[in-house]
Amino acid sequence: LVCVVSVAFDHGSGAETELSELRHANEELVTSNVHSHAGGGCLELFVVEGEIDDIGPYVARLRTVDGVRAVEHSILSVDCHTS
């Protein structure tokens, strides 16, 4: 499965540091991320690849970070391997 996770947070809240630490602690799941400014705050996008039993707890943990205003995710069932 591939999951795109959008995390909105307040600039200067310390959330960016904790999100970065979580990204590195889960580098077997997180294949990439992008930082942007939107909606009067910051937006971090994570591309996560793995099993639902691993993705779910990662997304849940992102929701607990102080300063995070919203977490949304979209799960895609994709197979990029062709015969």
Side-chain angles (χ1 to χ4, degrees), residues 40-59:
C42 295
L43 182 65
E44 199 77 26
L45 304 174
F46 298 95
V47 177
V48 182
E49 188 171 358
E51 299 299 321
I52 194 68
D53 291 341
D54 298 319
I55 294 171
Y58 177 72
V59 172

Side-chain angles (χ1 to χ4, degrees), residues 67-79:
V68 167
R69 291 189 280 155
V71 177
E72 297 291 336
H73 66 286
S74 176
I75 296 177
L76 310 167
S77 180
V78 296
D79 183 3

Side-chain angles (χ1 to χ4, degrees), residues 5 13 16 21 25-26 33-34 36 45 47-48 57 60 63-64 66 68-69 73 78 80 82-83:
V5 186
S13 67
E16 186 171 6
E21 290 170 357
N26 292 278
N33 71 294
V34 173
S36 184
L45 304 174
V47 177
V48 182
R63 294 181 194 281
T64 69
D66 286 339
V68 167
R69 291 189 280 155
H73 66 286
V78 296
C80 296
T82 58
S83 313

